[in-house]
Amino acid sequence: MTIVVGFVPTKEGRAALTRAVEEAKSRGSRLVVINSHRGGIDDETMRAAEDELRQATAEVEASGAQVEVRQLVRGNEPAEDLIAVASETDADLIVIGLRRRTPVGKLILGSNAQRILLDAPCAVLAVKG
Amino acid sequence: MTIVVGFVPTKEGRAALTRAVEEAKSRGSRLVVINSHRGGIDDETMRAAEDELRQATAEVEASGAQVEVRQLVRGNEPAEDLIAVASETDADLIVIGLRRRTPVGKLILGSNAQRILLDAPCAVLAVKG
């Protein structure tokens, strides 16, 4: 079994990674983490994000499950990268993070989330940030 | 752990129920199936749907996990029922079914699916019909 998750250093990205790690550990699945570099963040934020990613992968490895980090610099939309990797790896699950809606928030999902939900070749687990 | 799924006798509804049963069995979770009667289907379809539901619940029970079917006739939107029951039962997961998009299909998720994804008190697993 393979689980695919995109790594984004935001609250909802962290929620997705944490849940993906838990799912990989409990199912003994291989975890593929996609780290897309799109620029626009400073070196310090980048280093902190990489530390976080290392910690998460170490946790999965310690549980005996396999983990692989793919650095993608293709400049695609995040949804495209996730769907492409899920297809390539014949994934069983994609984990995504969704922002919590504020009480006055509009009832619209982001276009990346919609795209992943509609076009994913497998089930999608959506968790709240 | 509690998993909540809405029962709908359609291709995507069946996909959601099948996956929810699998998840409940593999996690040893309690499964709560919501059967909302909204009318508009003939007796034969209704009977076939009830047979399907009985078969699914028997499968979960046979695995040793708990299953509960809630008949709801409140006339709410399906999203409201699912979210209310997920809150009441302190659910860990809601399973929903999504229609497959045709190659020329529009990039829009149904409003019930969006509502559940945005307002669910827990993670949502979206599976394709």
Side-chain angles (χ1 to χ4, degrees):
Chain A
M1 228 190 119
T2 300
I3 296 174
V4 174
V5 66
F7 178 68
V8 198
T10 60
K11 207 177 161 206
E12 54 274 16
R14 270 175 211 117
L17 183 62
T18 301
R19 182 66 177 242
V21 167
E22 282 169 18
E23 295 287 330
K25 283 163 64 179
S26 77
R27 300 168 191 237
S29 298
R30 178 168 72 126
L31 179 64
V32 179
V33 183
I34 304 169
N35 194 17
S36 304
H37 292 289
R38 252 164 273 275
I41 57 168
D42 59 70
D43 284 1
E44 199 184 325
T45 309
M46 173 84 92
R47 263 194 304 274
E50 281 169 0
D51 283 349
E52 236 176 280
L53 195 50
R54 255 191 302 273
Q55 201 185 319
T57 57
E59 210 183 304
V60 179
E61 276 168 348
S63 76
Q66 264 186 291
V67 61
E68 179 193 328
V69 177
R70 297 206 183 181
Q71 307 287 350
L72 296 184
V73 286
R74 304 196 278 216
N76 289 339
E77 286 297 306
E80 283 176 80
D81 282 343
L82 245 74
I83 289 167
V85 172
S87 299
E88 278 165 45
T89 59
D90 199 17
D92 301 281
L93 189 68
I94 294 176
V95 183
I96 63 170
L98 298 180
R99 244 167 289 184
R100 275 183 196 280
R101 187 150 70 102
T102 60
V104 293
K106 273 205 292 183
L107 195 68
I108 292 285
L109 275 178
S111 62
N112 259 301
Q114 290 212 26
R115 174 91 194 273
I116 294 164
L117 287 158
L118 288 164
D119 293 337
C122 57
V124 178
L125 182 64
V127 298
K128 290 288 165 53
Chain B
M1 228 189 118
T2 300
I3 297 175
V4 174
V5 66
F7 178 68
V8 197
T10 60
K11 206 177 162 207
E12 54 274 15
R14 270 173 210 119
L17 182 62
T18 302
R19 182 67 176 241
V21 167
E22 282 170 18
E23 295 287 329
K25 282 162 65 180
S26 77
R27 301 168 191 236
S29 298
R30 178 168 73 125
L31 180 64
V32 178
V33 183
I34 303 169
N35 193 18
S36 303
H37 292 289
R38 251 164 273 275
I41 57 171
D42 58 70
D43 284 1
E44 199 185 325
T45 309
M46 174 84 92
R47 263 195 304 275
E50 279 169 3
D51 283 349
E52 237 176 278
L53 195 49
R54 254 192 302 274
Q55 201 184 318
T57 57
E59 210 183 303
V60 178
E61 276 169 349
S63 77
Q66 264 186 291
V67 60
E68 178 192 328
V69 177
R70 296 205 184 182
Q71 308 287 350
L72 295 184
V73 286
R74 304 196 278 216
N76 288 339
E77 286 298 307
E80 282 176 80
D81 281 343
L82 245 74
I83 290 167
V85 173
S87 298
E88 277 165 46
T89 59
D90 199 19
D92 301 281
L93 190 68
I94 293 175
V95 183
I96 62 170
L98 297 180
R99 243 167 290 186
R100 277 185 194 280
R101 188 150 71 102
T102 60
V104 292
K106 274 205 290 183
L107 194 69
I108 292 285
L109 275 179
S111 63
N112 259 302
Q114 290 212 27
R115 173 92 195 271
I116 294 165
L117 287 158
L118 287 164
D119 292 337
C122 58
V124 178
L125 182 64
V127 299
K128 290 288 166 53

